[in-house]
Amino acid sequence: MMNNDNLPAGAAAIPAPALICVVDDDASVRQALDNLLTSADYTPLCFDSGEACLAYGQLDGVDFAVVDVKLGGMSGFELQQRLSSMNLDLPMVFISGHADSGMEALAARAGAIALLHKPIDVDRLLALIDQALVGHPPPS
């Protein structure tokens, strides 16, 4: 995460710590992302399903979401649609262990910043989060 003390002139500060929602039905992935985000000075909020995420009821404070495409109940795409219908248009990265070009196209149409393949490139994920939170477009 970018240090707010060294921001270039005109850049917006990242509120610290940003709340990052993680939705994945694999406990080991959730734990790994929880550890990663905590070590990067974010506050992770982890759920094992889209339904659990929606039931939380306090999502208006979430700054970013990392969502698995294939979940046990509703899909990550369905979750994104539900969040959007609740006027929670979060910057979002989809993740998947089984991504293909069709899934990447769906993710792009859903407005995702990216679809990352598992195992996740953690440096890329952190860069995407940082850039989304300070309002800069992610690198290609």
Side-chain angles (χ1 to χ4, degrees):
M1 186 159 116
M2 179 181 263
N3 182 336
N4 291 337
D5 297 332
N6 299 322
L7 289 174
I14 299 172
L19 185 60
I20 311 297
C21 179
V22 174
V23 184
D24 198 303
D25 55 356
D26 183 326
S28 64
V29 172
R30 282 194 315 276
Q31 186 61 57
L33 288 172
D34 184 276
N35 292 342
L36 172 71
L37 294 169
T38 299
S39 72
D41 295 324
Y42 293 117
T43 301
L45 181 62
C46 299
F47 301 98
D48 63 0
S49 69
E51 292 83 358
C53 177
L54 292 172
Y56 178 65
Q58 297 178 15
L59 297 172
D60 55 338
V62 172
D63 299 299
F64 193 94
V66 180
V67 180
D68 191 7
V69 172
K70 293 187 179 183
L71 298 165
M74 73 172 62
S75 74
F77 294 130
E78 291 170 308
L79 174 60
Q80 186 277 333
Q81 290 171 345
R82 295 278 301 274
L83 292 171
S84 185
S85 73
M86 298 165 58
N87 293 321
L88 293 171
D89 294 316
L90 299 170
M92 184 176 294
V93 167
F94 285 112
I95 58 176
S96 178
H98 309 285
D100 58 23
S101 59
M103 191 178 290
E104 290 176 359
L106 284 172
R109 281 197 299 276
I113 293 171
L115 179 125
L116 300 180
H117 300 252
K118 294 178 184 177
I120 299 166
D121 177 341
V122 296
D123 292 327
R124 174 90 170 123
L125 176 61
L126 291 174
L128 290 167
I129 294 170
D130 280 349
Q131 290 158 356
L133 294 179
V134 296
H136 298 292
S140 320

